[in-house]
Amino acid sequence: MAEPNNPLTYVALEETPANGVHVLQGQGNALAIETGQGVVLVDAGPGRGRTGRMIETLRERTSAPVHAICYSHGHLGYNAGVPQWQQHAAERGDPPPRLVAHDRLAARYRRYRETAPLQLRFAELQFRIPIGTLEGRLEIADPTETFSESLTLTTLGRTVRLIWAPSETDDCIAVWLPDDGVLYGGAAVIGSIPNVGTPLRTLRDPVRWADTLDRLAALDPRLVIREFGPSIEGREVVQLVLGQTAAALRWLRAEVVSRMNQGMNVVEILHDIEYPPALFEQPWMAPVYGDPDFIVRDIFRSESGWWDRNPTQLHPAPSDAAASAVLSAIPDRGAVIERAQALADAGEVQLALHVIDLLALAPGDATELATARGLKAEWLRALAEDAKSFVSKSLYLSSANLIEKGTGGSIGIR
């Protein structure tokens, strides 16, 4: 049943939302669709034990071969388990499953291979995984066939249509089952505010995401299964959720650009903009993973360069040298710590961080610097307690852990 004032219902992991359609617990809510030619699987899971449990669950439901594995999008982990499914098919004597993805996924995988250590480090920071844990664990299995706009799989008894749905990535797909009125929205339809502007990720286009939501809504599905979170049940509710989410994204674009045209920088915009409750205080727009401030930042950088408008940063000195120079201008380091502590005690933790960075970013192991870093880590954890976004919480906590391990007052990728 839907919660009071919340029109969303939840399709539990491994539940059957339609006859012969099964939700499996993969990296997110993966999907297994029974057809006359076998199972069409959407996402193979992250590999190892999780993918193994997906295989076990599917075999409790059907003995049919896996006809195709479709990649919902190209982020690492969602299809690291492809080799296990291929091995499973071979052990059963089944034909190898088709591996189907959008044609832009190939470019993403090339980039991920080129930047593999960076991508793994980002994932560890964002998901609070000990640094170095993911090394060698996220396999990349290339698809065997791709499509551009849409692809209807040749199946018997059930139409399975793959639709390009650019949103979180430019290689996202949705899966439309017109015979059932069921849409698998994948990464385009998530259980919270669209995660545009995630701090460690490349640019995402909010208007393109809004356009995708409009195209999916035009299919008029009775049920939308999300990759994470509650499903959307009922045609009217589907139109409400997808339509208002698209409207919120377009509102953000217009408001940020208007302020940029007035000459505001990104920090000024963040403190000037007010998010209307009718669009943003809705169950489907909760900042569970993303955050409206992240979207503001991404829109800003999509129309602006990297410069923060401070001329000092055009050709900056090395970070350690700059921090040492600042430190040399502070005659009383204890006063900095006292002032920062007073701000924190007054509840102004963010301001306390700005002050303590005068010491925390400086190189060296002097007592005052170690104290400053310890306080910074403590206050980052305090901010994490109140952070609504999972990503914000994770980056605060991961940074605090790294600072306490001796990386200095800021963190790099080494």
Side-chain angles (χ1 to χ4, degrees), residues 247-281:
L249 292 173
R250 292 193 175 96
W251 182 90
L252 280 165
R253 166 76 187 183
E255 294 296 317
V256 172
V257 169
S258 173
R259 286 165 174 78
M260 292 181 72
N261 286 337
Q262 296 172 42
M264 291 187 183
N265 64 32
V266 68
V267 175
E268 290 170 334
I269 293 173
L270 286 169
H271 288 280
D272 182 71
I273 201 165
E274 295 183 7
Y275 306 115
L279 288 176
F280 292 88
E281 292 182 12

PDB file of all heavy atoms in Angstrom, residues 247-281:
ATOM      1  N   ALA A 247       9.629  19.017 -14.992  1.00  0.00           N
ATOM      2  CA  ALA A 247       9.400  20.446 -14.771  1.00  0.00           C
ATOM      3  C   ALA A 247      10.421  21.030 -13.795  1.00  0.00           C
ATOM      4  O   ALA A 247      10.902  22.162 -13.981  1.00  0.00           O
ATOM      5  CB  ALA A 247       7.980  20.671 -14.250  1.00  0.00           C
ATOM      6  N   ALA A 248      10.765  20.281 -12.756  1.00  0.00           N
ATOM      7  CA  ALA A 248      11.748  20.763 -11.778  1.00  0.00           C
ATOM      8  C   ALA A 248      13.115  20.943 -12.422  1.00  0.00           C
ATOM      9  O   ALA A 248      13.821  21.924 -12.149  1.00  0.00           O
ATOM     10  CB  ALA A 248      11.832  19.790 -10.611  1.00  0.00           C
ATOM     11  N   LEU A 249      13.502  20.015 -13.280  1.00  0.00           N
ATOM     12  CA  LEU A 249      14.796  20.130 -13.943  1.00  0.00           C
ATOM     13  C   LEU A 249      14.840  21.345 -14.863  1.00  0.00           C
ATOM     14  O   LEU A 249      15.846  22.076 -14.913  1.00  0.00           O
ATOM     15  CB  LEU A 249      15.089  18.853 -14.732  1.00  0.00           C
ATOM     16  CG  LEU A 249      15.330  17.593 -13.886  1.00  0.00           C
ATOM     17  CD1 LEU A 249      15.440  16.364 -14.785  1.00  0.00           C
ATOM     18  CD2 LEU A 249      16.593  17.735 -13.040  1.00  0.00           C
ATOM     19  N   ARG A 250      13.745  21.572 -15.578  1.00  0.00           N
ATOM     20  CA  ARG A 250      13.714  22.740 -16.473  1.00  0.00           C
ATOM     21  C   ARG A 250      13.670  24.039 -15.661  1.00  0.00           C
ATOM     22  O   ARG A 250      14.257  25.056 -16.065  1.00  0.00           O
ATOM     23  CB  ARG A 250      12.508  22.645 -17.410  1.00  0.00           C
ATOM     24  CG  ARG A 250      12.631  21.513 -18.424  1.00  0.00           C
ATOM     25  CD  ARG A 250      11.594  21.631 -19.531  1.00  0.00           C
ATOM     26  NE  ARG A 250      11.811  20.599 -20.543  1.00  0.00           N
ATOM     27  CZ  ARG A 250      11.185  19.433 -20.584  1.00  0.00           C
ATOM     28  NH1 ARG A 250      10.264  19.142 -19.652  1.00  0.00           N
ATOM     29  NH2 ARG A 250      11.454  18.548 -21.519  1.00  0.00           N
ATOM     30  N   TRP A 251      12.973  24.030 -14.518  1.00  0.00           N
ATOM     31  CA  TRP A 251      12.949  25.204 -13.650  1.00  0.00           C
ATOM     32  C   TRP A 251      14.365  25.544 -13.176  1.00  0.00           C
ATOM     33  O   TRP A 251      14.772  26.715 -13.203  1.00  0.00           O
ATOM     34  CB  TRP A 251      12.040  24.945 -12.448  1.00  0.00           C
ATOM     35  CG  TRP A 251      11.911  26.116 -11.525  1.00  0.00           C
ATOM     36  CD1 TRP A 251      10.998  27.118 -11.573  1.00  0.00           C
ATOM     37  CD2 TRP A 251      12.771  26.418 -10.401  1.00  0.00           C
ATOM     38  NE1 TRP A 251      11.213  28.027 -10.566  1.00  0.00           N
ATOM     39  CE2 TRP A 251      12.289  27.624  -9.831  1.00  0.00           C
ATOM     40  CE3 TRP A 251      13.876  25.789  -9.841  1.00  0.00           C
ATOM     41  CZ2 TRP A 251      12.900  28.204  -8.712  1.00  0.00           C
ATOM     42  CZ3 TRP A 251      14.489  26.363  -8.725  1.00  0.00           C
ATOM     43  CH2 TRP A 251      13.992  27.554  -8.175  1.00  0.00           C
ATOM     44  N   LEU A 252      15.115  24.536 -12.765  1.00  0.00           N
ATOM     45  CA  LEU A 252      16.485  24.772 -12.301  1.00  0.00           C
ATOM     46  C   LEU A 252      17.347  25.378 -13.395  1.00  0.00           C
ATOM     47  O   LEU A 252      18.106  26.330 -13.152  1.00  0.00           O
ATOM     48  CB  LEU A 252      17.098  23.454 -11.812  1.00  0.00           C
ATOM     49  CG  LEU A 252      16.702  23.015 -10.407  1.00  0.00           C
ATOM     50  CD1 LEU A 252      17.072  21.560 -10.190  1.00  0.00           C
ATOM     51  CD2 LEU A 252      17.382  23.893  -9.365  1.00  0.00           C
ATOM     52  N   ARG A 253      17.240  24.844 -14.578  1.00  0.00           N
ATOM     53  CA  ARG A 253      18.031  25.378 -15.694  1.00  0.00           C
ATOM     54  C   ARG A 253      17.720  26.861 -15.908  1.00  0.00           C
ATOM     55  O   ARG A 253      18.625  27.701 -16.011  1.00  0.00           O
ATOM     56  CB  ARG A 253      17.715  24.570 -16.954  1.00  0.00           C
ATOM     57  CG  ARG A 253      18.196  25.187 -18.257  1.00  0.00           C
ATOM     58  CD  ARG A 253      19.668  25.032 -18.469  1.00  0.00           C
ATOM     59  NE  ARG A 253      20.103  25.786 -19.643  1.00  0.00           N
ATOM     60  CZ  ARG A 253      21.335  25.788 -20.106  1.00  0.00           C
ATOM     61  NH1 ARG A 253      22.268  25.091 -19.495  1.00  0.00           N
ATOM     62  NH2 ARG A 253      21.659  26.498 -21.166  1.00  0.00           N
ATOM     63  N   ALA A 254      16.450  27.202 -15.962  1.00  0.00           N
ATOM     64  CA  ALA A 254      16.062  28.587 -16.213  1.00  0.00           C
ATOM     65  C   ALA A 254      16.537  29.515 -15.095  1.00  0.00           C
ATOM     66  O   ALA A 254      17.047  30.620 -15.359  1.00  0.00           O
ATOM     67  CB  ALA A 254      14.548  28.680 -16.373  1.00  0.00           C
ATOM     68  N   GLU A 255      16.386  29.088 -13.848  1.00  0.00           N
ATOM     69  CA  GLU A 255      16.745  29.943 -12.725  1.00  0.00           C
ATOM     70  C   GLU A 255      18.253  30.149 -12.613  1.00  0.00           C
ATOM     71  O   GLU A 255      18.723  31.252 -12.301  1.00  0.00           O
ATOM     72  CB  GLU A 255      16.194  29.351 -11.427  1.00  0.00           C
ATOM     73  CG  GLU A 255      14.676  29.345 -11.340  1.00  0.00           C
ATOM     74  CD  GLU A 255      14.093  30.728 -11.341  1.00  0.00           C
ATOM     75  OE1 GLU A 255      14.637  31.609 -10.643  1.00  0.00           O
ATOM     76  OE2 GLU A 255      13.087  30.938 -12.049  1.00  0.00           O
ATOM     77  N   VAL A 256      19.020  29.104 -12.856  1.00  0.00           N
ATOM     78  CA  VAL A 256      20.483  29.236 -12.775  1.00  0.00           C
ATOM     79  C   VAL A 256      20.991  30.124 -13.898  1.00  0.00           C
ATOM     80  O   VAL A 256      21.813  31.030 -13.677  1.00  0.00           O
ATOM     81  CB  VAL A 256      21.164  27.857 -12.812  1.00  0.00           C
ATOM     82  CG1 VAL A 256      22.678  28.002 -12.917  1.00  0.00           C
ATOM     83  CG2 VAL A 256      20.801  27.059 -11.568  1.00  0.00           C
ATOM     84  N   VAL A 257      20.514  29.903 -15.109  1.00  0.00           N
ATOM     85  CA  VAL A 257      20.971  30.714 -16.243  1.00  0.00           C
ATOM     86  C   VAL A 257      20.597  32.175 -16.040  1.00  0.00           C
ATOM     87  O   VAL A 257      21.389  33.090 -16.343  1.00  0.00           O
ATOM     88  CB  VAL A 257      20.388  30.160 -17.556  1.00  0.00           C
ATOM     89  CG1 VAL A 257      20.629  31.128 -18.708  1.00  0.00           C
ATOM     90  CG2 VAL A 257      21.009  28.814 -17.881  1.00  0.00           C
ATOM     91  N   SER A 258      19.404  32.436 -15.507  1.00  0.00           N
ATOM     92  CA  SER A 258      19.005  33.813 -15.236  1.00  0.00           C
ATOM     93  C   SER A 258      19.985  34.493 -14.291  1.00  0.00           C
ATOM     94  O   SER A 258      20.397  35.645 -14.511  1.00  0.00           O
ATOM     95  CB  SER A 258      17.592  33.834 -14.631  1.00  0.00           C
ATOM     96  OG  SER A 258      17.238  35.132 -14.203  1.00  0.00           O
ATOM     97  N   ARG A 259      20.406  33.809 -13.261  1.00  0.00           N
ATOM     98  CA  ARG A 259      21.340  34.395 -12.292  1.00  0.00           C
ATOM     99  C   ARG A 259      22.741  34.515 -12.876  1.00  0.00           C
ATOM    100  O   ARG A 259      23.461  35.472 -12.560  1.00  0.00           O
ATOM    101  CB  ARG A 259      21.341  33.557 -11.010  1.00  0.00           C
ATOM    102  CG  ARG A 259      20.070  33.758 -10.181  1.00  0.00           C
ATOM    103  CD  ARG A 259      19.899  32.680  -9.124  1.00  0.00           C
ATOM    104  NE  ARG A 259      18.764  32.953  -8.253  1.00  0.00           N
ATOM    105  CZ  ARG A 259      17.489  32.746  -8.579  1.00  0.00           C
ATOM    106  NH1 ARG A 259      17.192  32.241  -9.779  1.00  0.00           N
ATOM    107  NH2 ARG A 259      16.525  33.029  -7.729  1.00  0.00           N
ATOM    108  N   MET A 260      23.130  33.563 -13.712  1.00  0.00           N
ATOM    109  CA  MET A 260      24.427  33.699 -14.390  1.00  0.00           C
ATOM    110  C   MET A 260      24.438  34.935 -15.286  1.00  0.00           C
ATOM    111  O   MET A 260      25.443  35.662 -15.356  1.00  0.00           O
ATOM    112  CB  MET A 260      24.721  32.443 -15.212  1.00  0.00           C
ATOM    113  CG  MET A 260      24.976  31.196 -14.394  1.00  0.00           C
ATOM    114  SD  MET A 260      25.351  29.749 -15.417  1.00  0.00           S
ATOM    115  CE  MET A 260      27.010  30.168 -15.999  1.00  0.00           C
ATOM    116  N   ASN A 261      23.326  35.175 -15.953  1.00  0.00           N
ATOM    117  CA  ASN A 261      23.232  36.357 -16.816  1.00  0.00           C
ATOM    118  C   ASN A 261      23.304  37.653 -16.022  1.00  0.00           C
ATOM    119  O   ASN A 261      23.660  38.702 -16.573  1.00  0.00           O
ATOM    120  CB  ASN A 261      21.933  36.325 -17.621  1.00  0.00           C
ATOM    121  CG  ASN A 261      21.975  35.301 -18.742  1.00  0.00           C
ATOM    122  OD1 ASN A 261      23.047  34.908 -19.213  1.00  0.00           O
ATOM    123  ND2 ASN A 261      20.808  34.842 -19.182  1.00  0.00           N
ATOM    124  N   GLN A 262      22.979  37.598 -14.729  1.00  0.00           N
ATOM    125  CA  GLN A 262      23.092  38.768 -13.857  1.00  0.00           C
ATOM    126  C   GLN A 262      24.502  38.931 -13.310  1.00  0.00           C
ATOM    127  O   GLN A 262      24.782  39.897 -12.585  1.00  0.00           O
ATOM    128  CB  GLN A 262      22.104  38.648 -12.703  1.00  0.00           C
ATOM    129  CG  GLN A 262      20.642  38.656 -13.105  1.00  0.00           C
ATOM    130  CD  GLN A 262      19.730  38.329 -11.938  1.00  0.00           C
ATOM    131  OE1 GLN A 262      19.938  38.820 -10.822  1.00  0.00           O
ATOM    132  NE2 GLN A 262      18.723  37.490 -12.172  1.00  0.00           N
ATOM    133  N   GLY A 263      25.387  37.964 -13.607  1.00  0.00           N
ATOM    134  CA  GLY A 263      26.774  38.059 -13.167  1.00  0.00           C
ATOM    135  C   GLY A 263      27.084  37.342 -11.872  1.00  0.00           C
ATOM    136  O   GLY A 263      28.191  37.484 -11.331  1.00  0.00           O
ATOM    137  N   MET A 264      26.166  36.541 -11.369  1.00  0.00           N
ATOM    138  CA  MET A 264      26.425  35.820 -10.116  1.00  0.00           C
ATOM    139  C   MET A 264      27.385  34.672 -10.350  1.00  0.00           C
ATOM    140  O   MET A 264      27.349  34.013 -11.391  1.00  0.00           O
ATOM    141  CB  MET A 264      25.120  35.265  -9.543  1.00  0.00           C
ATOM    142  CG  MET A 264      24.145  36.291  -9.032  1.00  0.00           C
ATOM    143  SD  MET A 264      22.741  35.466  -8.196  1.00  0.00           S
ATOM    144  CE  MET A 264      21.731  36.884  -7.784  1.00  0.00           C
ATOM    145  N   ASN A 265      28.227  34.405  -9.348  1.00  0.00           N
ATOM    146  CA  ASN A 265      29.048  33.199  -9.402  1.00  0.00           C
ATOM    147  C   ASN A 265      28.267  32.049  -8.770  1.00  0.00           C
ATOM    148  O   ASN A 265      27.157  32.238  -8.254  1.00  0.00           O
ATOM    149  CB  ASN A 265      30.417  33.412  -8.731  1.00  0.00           C
ATOM    150  CG  ASN A 265      30.311  33.700  -7.238  1.00  0.00           C
ATOM    151  OD1 ASN A 265      29.412  33.226  -6.546  1.00  0.00           O
ATOM    152  ND2 ASN A 265      31.236  34.502  -6.728  1.00  0.00           N
ATOM    153  N   VAL A 266      28.844  30.864  -8.792  1.00  0.00           N
ATOM    154  CA  VAL A 266      28.075  29.694  -8.376  1.00  0.00           C
ATOM    155  C   VAL A 266      27.714  29.726  -6.889  1.00  0.00           C
ATOM    156  O   VAL A 266      26.611  29.319  -6.506  1.00  0.00           O
ATOM    157  CB  VAL A 266      28.825  28.392  -8.745  1.00  0.00           C
ATOM    158  CG1 VAL A 266      30.100  28.220  -7.920  1.00  0.00           C
ATOM    159  CG2 VAL A 266      27.912  27.176  -8.584  1.00  0.00           C
ATOM    160  N   VAL A 267      28.621  30.226  -6.046  1.00  0.00           N
ATOM    161  CA  VAL A 267      28.307  30.285  -4.615  1.00  0.00           C
ATOM    162  C   VAL A 267      27.183  31.283  -4.361  1.00  0.00           C
ATOM    163  O   VAL A 267      26.274  31.027  -3.556  1.00  0.00           O
ATOM    164  CB  VAL A 267      29.566  30.637  -3.800  1.00  0.00           C
ATOM    165  CG1 VAL A 267      29.213  30.827  -2.330  1.00  0.00           C
ATOM    166  CG2 VAL A 267      30.622  29.542  -3.953  1.00  0.00           C
ATOM    167  N   GLU A 268      27.230  32.419  -5.059  1.00  0.00           N
ATOM    168  CA  GLU A 268      26.154  33.394  -4.906  1.00  0.00           C
ATOM    169  C   GLU A 268      24.812  32.806  -5.344  1.00  0.00           C
ATOM    170  O   GLU A 268      23.780  33.033  -4.695  1.00  0.00           O
ATOM    171  CB  GLU A 268      26.475  34.641  -5.726  1.00  0.00           C
ATOM    172  CG  GLU A 268      27.634  35.455  -5.169  1.00  0.00           C
ATOM    173  CD  GLU A 268      28.098  36.540  -6.114  1.00  0.00           C
ATOM    174  OE1 GLU A 268      27.912  36.403  -7.347  1.00  0.00           O
ATOM    175  OE2 GLU A 268      28.661  37.539  -5.627  1.00  0.00           O
ATOM    176  N   ILE A 269      24.828  32.043  -6.430  1.00  0.00           N
ATOM    177  CA  ILE A 269      23.589  31.421  -6.907  1.00  0.00           C
ATOM    178  C   ILE A 269      23.062  30.427  -5.876  1.00  0.00           C
ATOM    179  O   ILE A 269      21.866  30.396  -5.565  1.00  0.00           O
ATOM    180  CB  ILE A 269      23.813  30.739  -8.263  1.00  0.00           C
ATOM    181  CG1 ILE A 269      24.109  31.784  -9.337  1.00  0.00           C
ATOM    182  CG2 ILE A 269      22.591  29.912  -8.664  1.00  0.00           C
ATOM    183  CD1 ILE A 269      24.511  31.204 -10.669  1.00  0.00           C
ATOM    184  N   LEU A 270      23.955  29.608  -5.338  1.00  0.00           N
ATOM    185  CA  LEU A 270      23.532  28.601  -4.362  1.00  0.00           C
ATOM    186  C   LEU A 270      22.848  29.227  -3.154  1.00  0.00           C
ATOM    187  O   LEU A 270      21.915  28.648  -2.582  1.00  0.00           O
ATOM    188  CB  LEU A 270      24.741  27.770  -3.911  1.00  0.00           C
ATOM    189  CG  LEU A 270      25.276  26.753  -4.914  1.00  0.00           C
ATOM    190  CD1 LEU A 270      26.621  26.203  -4.457  1.00  0.00           C
ATOM    191  CD2 LEU A 270      24.276  25.612  -5.098  1.00  0.00           C
ATOM    192  N   HIS A 271      23.292  30.408  -2.750  1.00  0.00           N
ATOM    193  CA  HIS A 271      22.717  31.048  -1.565  1.00  0.00           C
ATOM    194  C   HIS A 271      21.570  31.981  -1.906  1.00  0.00           C
ATOM    195  O   HIS A 271      20.871  32.464  -0.996  1.00  0.00           O
ATOM    196  CB  HIS A 271      23.810  31.788  -0.796  1.00  0.00           C
ATOM    197  CG  HIS A 271      24.760  30.866  -0.100  1.00  0.00           C
ATOM    198  ND1 HIS A 271      24.468  30.264   1.099  1.00  0.00           N
ATOM    199  CD2 HIS A 271      25.984  30.390  -0.468  1.00  0.00           C
ATOM    200  CE1 HIS A 271      25.473  29.477   1.456  1.00  0.00           C
ATOM    201  NE2 HIS A 271      26.397  29.531   0.530  1.00  0.00           N
ATOM    202  N   ASP A 272      21.340  32.211  -3.185  1.00  0.00           N
ATOM    203  CA  ASP A 272      20.237  33.078  -3.589  1.00  0.00           C
ATOM    204  C   ASP A 272      18.994  32.298  -4.007  1.00  0.00           C
ATOM    205  O   ASP A 272      17.868  32.732  -3.771  1.00  0.00           O
ATOM    206  CB  ASP A 272      20.682  33.967  -4.766  1.00  0.00           C
ATOM    207  CG  ASP A 272      19.601  34.932  -5.203  1.00  0.00           C
ATOM    208  OD1 ASP A 272      19.319  35.883  -4.448  1.00  0.00           O
ATOM    209  OD2 ASP A 272      19.022  34.728  -6.296  1.00  0.00           O
ATOM    210  N   ILE A 273      19.213  31.132  -4.583  1.00  0.00           N
ATOM    211  CA  ILE A 273      18.099  30.379  -5.156  1.00  0.00           C
ATOM    212  C   ILE A 273      17.258  29.733  -4.057  1.00  0.00           C
ATOM    213  O   ILE A 273      17.782  29.283  -3.034  1.00  0.00           O
ATOM    214  CB  ILE A 273      18.635  29.320  -6.150  1.00  0.00           C
ATOM    215  CG1 ILE A 273      17.552  28.885  -7.130  1.00  0.00           C
ATOM    216  CG2 ILE A 273      19.248  28.129  -5.429  1.00  0.00           C
ATOM    217  CD1 ILE A 273      18.110  28.133  -8.333  1.00  0.00           C
ATOM    218  N   GLU A 274      15.958  29.705  -4.248  1.00  0.00           N
ATOM    219  CA  GLU A 274      15.030  29.042  -3.331  1.00  0.00           C
ATOM    220  C   GLU A 274      14.225  28.037  -4.131  1.00  0.00           C
ATOM    221  O   GLU A 274      13.597  28.388  -5.134  1.00  0.00           O
ATOM    222  CB  GLU A 274      14.107  30.067  -2.664  1.00  0.00           C
ATOM    223  CG  GLU A 274      14.838  31.042  -1.749  1.00  0.00           C
ATOM    224  CD  GLU A 274      13.891  32.007  -1.046  1.00  0.00           C
ATOM    225  OE1 GLU A 274      12.662  31.820  -1.181  1.00  0.00           O
ATOM    226  OE2 GLU A 274      14.380  32.930  -0.373  1.00  0.00           O
ATOM    227  N   TYR A 275      14.234  26.797  -3.663  1.00  0.00           N
ATOM    228  CA  TYR A 275      13.580  25.724  -4.396  1.00  0.00           C
ATOM    229  C   TYR A 275      12.095  25.663  -4.029  1.00  0.00           C
ATOM    230  O   TYR A 275      11.766  25.450  -2.856  1.00  0.00           O
ATOM    231  CB  TYR A 275      14.261  24.389  -4.075  1.00  0.00           C
ATOM    232  CG  TYR A 275      15.752  24.408  -4.314  1.00  0.00           C
ATOM    233  CD1 TYR A 275      16.651  24.254  -3.264  1.00  0.00           C
ATOM    234  CD2 TYR A 275      16.264  24.593  -5.592  1.00  0.00           C
ATOM    235  CE1 TYR A 275      18.018  24.281  -3.473  1.00  0.00           C
ATOM    236  CE2 TYR A 275      17.638  24.623  -5.821  1.00  0.00           C
ATOM    237  CZ  TYR A 275      18.512  24.467  -4.759  1.00  0.00           C
ATOM    238  OH  TYR A 275      19.859  24.498  -4.974  1.00  0.00           O
ATOM    239  N   PRO A 276      11.198  25.849  -4.991  1.00  0.00           N
ATOM    240  CA  PRO A 276       9.769  25.865  -4.669  1.00  0.00           C
ATOM    241  C   PRO A 276       9.288  24.525  -4.131  1.00  0.00           C
ATOM    242  O   PRO A 276       9.529  23.478  -4.738  1.00  0.00           O
ATOM    243  CB  PRO A 276       9.108  26.206  -6.002  1.00  0.00           C
ATOM    244  CG  PRO A 276      10.118  25.886  -7.043  1.00  0.00           C
ATOM    245  CD  PRO A 276      11.458  26.085  -6.420  1.00  0.00           C
ATOM    246  N   PRO A 277       8.601  24.528  -3.004  1.00  0.00           N
ATOM    247  CA  PRO A 277       8.139  23.267  -2.400  1.00  0.00           C
ATOM    248  C   PRO A 277       7.259  22.438  -3.322  1.00  0.00           C
ATOM    249  O   PRO A 277       7.304  21.207  -3.285  1.00  0.00           O
ATOM    250  CB  PRO A 277       7.363  23.739  -1.161  1.00  0.00           C
ATOM    251  CG  PRO A 277       7.943  25.071  -0.831  1.00  0.00           C
ATOM    252  CD  PRO A 277       8.287  25.693  -2.146  1.00  0.00           C
ATOM    253  N   ALA A 278       6.449  23.085  -4.161  1.00  0.00           N
ATOM    254  CA  ALA A 278       5.540  22.334  -5.028  1.00  0.00           C
ATOM    255  C   ALA A 278       6.294  21.403  -5.964  1.00  0.00           C
ATOM    256  O   ALA A 278       5.780  20.359  -6.363  1.00  0.00           O
ATOM    257  CB  ALA A 278       4.673  23.304  -5.834  1.00  0.00           C
ATOM    258  N   LEU A 279       7.541  21.764  -6.304  1.00  0.00           N
ATOM    259  CA  LEU A 279       8.352  20.917  -7.174  1.00  0.00           C
ATOM    260  C   LEU A 279       9.338  20.051  -6.403  1.00  0.00           C
ATOM    261  O   LEU A 279       9.604  18.908  -6.787  1.00  0.00           O
ATOM    262  CB  LEU A 279       9.117  21.780  -8.190  1.00  0.00           C
ATOM    263  CG  LEU A 279       8.310  22.426  -9.311  1.00  0.00           C
ATOM    264  CD1 LEU A 279       9.212  23.322 -10.157  1.00  0.00           C
ATOM    265  CD2 LEU A 279       7.626  21.384 -10.179  1.00  0.00           C
ATOM    266  N   PHE A 280       9.897  20.568  -5.335  1.00  0.00           N
ATOM    267  CA  PHE A 280      11.030  19.898  -4.693  1.00  0.00           C
ATOM    268  C   PHE A 280      10.686  19.192  -3.386  1.00  0.00           C
ATOM    269  O   PHE A 280      11.428  18.297  -2.977  1.00  0.00           O
ATOM    270  CB  PHE A 280      12.171  20.902  -4.474  1.00  0.00           C
ATOM    271  CG  PHE A 280      12.795  21.355  -5.759  1.00  0.00           C
ATOM    272  CD1 PHE A 280      12.299  22.436  -6.451  1.00  0.00           C
ATOM    273  CD2 PHE A 280      13.867  20.669  -6.298  1.00  0.00           C
ATOM    274  CE1 PHE A 280      12.850  22.839  -7.654  1.00  0.00           C
ATOM    275  CE2 PHE A 280      14.442  21.059  -7.490  1.00  0.00           C
ATOM    276  CZ  PHE A 280      13.926  22.143  -8.186  1.00  0.00           C
ATOM    277  N   GLU A 281       9.610  19.558  -2.736  1.00  0.00           N
ATOM    278  CA  GLU A 281       9.234  18.862  -1.505  1.00  0.00           C
ATOM    279  C   GLU A 281       8.180  17.806  -1.824  1.00  0.00           C
ATOM    280  O   GLU A 281       7.042  17.841  -1.337  1.00  0.00           O
ATOM    281  CB  GLU A 281       8.741  19.859  -0.466  1.00  0.00           C
ATOM    282  CG  GLU A 281       9.850  20.779   0.040  1.00  0.00           C
ATOM    283  CD  GLU A 281       9.394  21.735   1.113  1.00  0.00           C
ATOM    284  OE1 GLU A 281       8.279  21.537   1.640  1.00  0.00           O
ATOM    285  OE2 GLU A 281      10.141  22.684   1.415  1.00  0.00           O
TER     286      GLU A 281
END
